[in-house]
């Protein structure tokens, strides 16, 4: 865990993606370089600057996922953005947690939605990963946003609602985020697999970019992305090819791919035209200069 003792490096400025009105690649671009995005991207993507490397749940291979320490580790490893999962406690407080149950990432069992925020804060959210992280607490969204601002990080908020709480989760979490995130900073990117959550996001934070999340893409994926006003498309790297990435990019949207931990795989999908990748190990990709 030696990286915990490093001084945080200066964070690199996020790179701008291919976007509306993007200039063509230079004349000396290598053969096979992806074409620029067409000038028809919907949503507020023209002002969206995306990095090549986004820490997945912080730095999930190196620290307990969706915790403050994981975000700090991601920043220390060179990530300029992180992605986190947001859901609600029983009493409606936005927290970071991926699963609907507590079993995998805390020392408790049962549904997340059955515990109040006060009860969740008493749990150990780090010891399951490694004894060095014992005592790490379930993170509140509010302190997560404040930490990202302190570290100069961009953030992708994935709304991961417990069953039946999609609109409630997006409404409460994004209203809170809107009150915390400064207007003079590039806004968070909001994504979800749940269309109800994204529809609510469009109402609560209409100026913030929406990410359309795809695992096994439906036949009407493009129509769904249009209906949601999506600015970006987020895809499962293991299910995609150069051809499918080209199809996504033909809609004028930047594409982000998850979850890519192997540097060679990251270079491959970036070569297909993907703008950035979500990774559990930012350090490995930074060192490989993907």
């Amino acid at each position: 865990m030696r990286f915990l003792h490093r001084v945080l490096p200066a964070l690199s400025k996020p790179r701008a993606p291919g976007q509306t009105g993007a200039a063509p690649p230079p004349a000396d671009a290598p053969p096979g370089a992806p074409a620029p995005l067409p000038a028809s991207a919907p949503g507020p993507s023209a002002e969206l600057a995306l990095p090549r490397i986004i820490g997945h749940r912080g730095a999930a291979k190196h620290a307990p996922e969706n915790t403050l320490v994981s975000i700090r580790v991601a920043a220390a490893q060179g990530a300029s953005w992180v992605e986190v999962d947001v859901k609600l406690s029983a009493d409606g407080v936005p927290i970071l947690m991926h699963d609907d149950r507590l079993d995998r990432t805390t020392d408790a069992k049962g549904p997340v939605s059955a515990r109040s925020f006060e009860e969740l804060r008493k749990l150990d959210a780090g010891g399951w990963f490694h004894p060095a992280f014992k005592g790490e607490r379930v993170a509140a969204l509010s302190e997560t946003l404040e930490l990202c601002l302190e570290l100069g990080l961009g953030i992708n908020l994935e709304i991961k609602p417990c069953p039946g709480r999609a609109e409630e989760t997006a409404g409460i979490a994004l209203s809170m985020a809107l009150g915390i995130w400064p207007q003079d900073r590039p806004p968070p990117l909001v994504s979800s697999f749940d269309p109800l959550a994204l529809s609510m996001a469009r109402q609560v934070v209409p100026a913030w970019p929406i990410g359309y999340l795809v695992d096994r893409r439906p036949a009407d994926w493009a129509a769904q992305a249009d209906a949601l006003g999506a600015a970006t498309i987020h895809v499962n790297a293991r299910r995609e090819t150069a051809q499918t990435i080209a199809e996504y990019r033909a809609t004028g949207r930047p594409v982000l791919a998850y979850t890519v931990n192997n540097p060679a795989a990251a270079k491959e999908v970036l070569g297909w035209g993907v703008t950035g990748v979500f990774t559990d190990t930012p350090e490995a990709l930074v060192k490989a200069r993907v």
Side-chain angles (χ1 to χ4, degrees):
M1 304 295 178
R2 63 184 184 282
F3 50 77
L4 292 174
H5 305 291
R6 297 176 187 163
V7 177
L8 288 176
L11 295 174
S12 60
K13 183 179 180 180
R15 306 185 185 191
Q19 54 190 227
T20 302
D28 59 351
L37 292 172
S40 59
S45 60
E47 299 179 1
L48 180 62
L50 296 166
R52 290 170 73 84
I53 298 171
I54 301 172
H56 183 238
R57 306 177 194 172
K61 188 176 179 179
H62 302 273
E65 64 181 60
N66 283 319
T67 61
L68 299 185
V69 69
S70 192
I71 292 170
R72 290 187 180 278
V73 170
Q77 292 189 356
S80 56
W81 272 55
V82 292
E83 176 267 356
V84 296
D85 301 299
V86 182
K87 52 179 15 87
L88 296 180
S89 64
D91 50 346
V93 178
I95 60 163
L96 303 195
M97 187 80 63
H98 178 273
D99 298 358
D100 290 335
R101 294 184 61 85
L102 297 163
D103 307 43
R104 183 176 65 87
T105 58
T106 76
D107 60 348
K109 296 185 183 299
V112 176
S113 59
R115 304 285 186 114
S116 69
F117 178 66
E118 182 179 358
E119 290 172 327
L120 290 170
R121 289 288 271 189
K122 294 177 181 177
L123 304 181
D124 176 10
W128 67 272
F129 184 87
H130 189 279
F133 296 103
K134 186 175 178 58
E136 186 69 17
R137 297 304 170 202
V138 172
L141 175 60
S142 58
E143 62 186 349
T144 300
L145 294 169
E146 290 163 358
L147 177 61
C148 287
L149 291 169
E150 174 190 329
L151 298 176
L153 296 174
I155 189 167
N156 174 194
L157 300 174
E158 181 179 342
I159 306 302
K160 202 82 172 178
C162 293
R165 304 187 77 181
E167 293 173 301
E168 180 189 13
T169 301
I172 293 175
L174 296 177
S175 294
M176 172 182 284
L178 187 62
I180 293 173
W181 201 263
Q183 293 186 5
D184 61 353
R185 291 282 295 271
L189 172 60
V190 181
S191 63
S192 183
F193 283 104
D194 194 310
L196 292 177
L198 293 182
S199 294
M200 179 59 71
R202 179 57 63 219
Q203 296 178 49
V204 177
V205 285
W208 289 12
I210 295 294
Y212 174 59
L213 262 166
V214 177
D215 183 13
R216 298 181 183 274
R217 75 176 188 178
D220 63 343
W221 64 268
Q224 288 190 29
D226 287 345
L228 292 166
T232 58
I233 298 178
H234 305 192
V235 301
N236 186 337
R238 293 176 296 174
R239 302 193 192 281
E240 304 301 336
T241 65
Q243 176 60 38
T244 59
I245 296 301
E247 291 168 1
Y248 295 128
R249 296 183 75 250
T251 69
R253 298 176 175 91
V255 180
L256 301 175
Y258 64 90
T259 303
V260 186
N261 294 331
N262 180 283
K267 290 178 180 180
E268 180 178 34
V269 298
L270 289 166
W272 294 345
V274 165
T275 296
V277 296
F278 298 94
T279 182
D280 297 324
T281 178
E283 185 174 59
L285 272 57
V286 169
K287 286 183 177 179
R289 299 183 180 182
V290 301

